Amino acid sequence: LVSVLSSAIIVYRLPWTWKCSKLLMKCIHAGLNTVAMILAIVATVAAFDYHNASNIPNMYSLHSWIGLIAIIFYSLQLFLGFAVFLLPFAPVPLRAALMPIHVYSGLTIFATVIATALMGITEKLLFSLQNPSYSASPPEATFVNCLGLLLVIFGALILWMASRPHWKRPPEENAKVLGPIGETPEGTEAESTMTDGSNADKSDLRINSEADRKQNLKLDEAGQRSTM
């Protein structure tokens, strides 16, 4: 979840992807989230199997509680993302209304996953390090503590990239997200028509002003001749 989910979050934020089609980026985003969800389910099943085989109680720690909550909300996020944003059935106003919620919930789930990983590695050290204990700061404890710091820095970097306005996809590209797949967004043709019309009007005005300028020059020359 930490690595694959972070890639799914920033796939829209990379400037060299802004020239790619919106449909392609949506498919990559959905594919990465699907891979992360499959790996999370496999890991959760493995954890329950290990607990059952070792006669360890299930779902008693804060790590397990928050981890399971993250998995449940992530599955809901993935389902709603497919239903609303990838499939072409949801109306445009619904997509526009849910987009901020979708972004916020995704970042919240990612932060929760980072917190779950930090609690998990700390819990593992407390149970595994007996002689010497965790409080004696053996090399394993130092290594895992440094890993936890790197997780915090990595999570902060991803959240920073996802929250900066200059990392966002340009607005003219974002306008294509809300329209159904394969359909020209509303207003695009009208805007292009208006742009073409305004350009035509500008060119006509330029031609007319040029003609007027030449005519004025001719009149001035004629006036000068008559004066001479």
Side-chain angles (χ1 to χ4, degrees), residues 2-129:
V2 173
S3 58
V4 184
L5 178 55
S6 62
S7 300
I9 289 175
I10 65 172
V11 71
Y12 287 115
R13 307 290 174 166
L14 304 176
W16 53 85
T17 65
W18 294 345
K19 294 182 180 180
C20 299
S21 68
K22 194 64 180 181
L23 178 59
L24 175 61
M25 301 313 301
K26 289 169 71 174
C27 291
I28 294 176
H29 179 74
L32 289 172
N33 279 293
T34 302
V35 171
M37 188 72 244
I38 294 174
L39 295 177
I41 293 174
V42 171
T44 304
V45 173
F48 277 98
D49 288 345
Y50 173 75
H51 281 200
N52 295 332
S54 304
N55 294 322
I56 300 176
N58 292 312
M59 300 302 299
Y60 68 91
S61 65
L62 184 61
H63 164 70
S64 59
W65 284 20
I66 296 182
L68 187 60
I69 289 174
I71 295 296
I72 293 174
F73 277 95
Y74 188 46
S75 60
L76 293 175
Q77 170 89 347
L78 186 62
F79 173 77
L80 292 177
F82 269 104
V84 176
F85 298 105
L86 190 62
L87 299 179
F89 305 117
V92 173
L94 178 62
R95 296 187 181 195
L98 292 182
M99 178 60 74
I101 300 175
H102 180 75
V103 174
Y104 174 78
S105 59
L107 297 179
T108 303
I109 291 171
F110 176 71
T112 305
V113 168
I114 295 290
T116 303
L118 294 175
M119 288 185 289
I121 60 179
T122 304
E123 182 181 295
K124 183 64 176 178
L125 284 178
L126 290 173
F127 291 157
S128 300
L129 296 179

Side-chain angles (χ1 to χ4, degrees), residues 34 86 130 176 212:
T34 302
L86 190 62
Q130 300 297 334
K176 300 177 183 178
D212 293 337

Side-chain angles (χ1 to χ4, degrees), residues 169-192:
R169 194 177 176 93
E172 61 270 12
E173 297 294 334
N174 283 336
K176 300 177 183 178
V177 187
L178 301 178
I181 298 174
E183 179 181 330
T184 303
E186 267 187 315
T188 303
E189 294 181 359
E191 290 173 2
S192 62

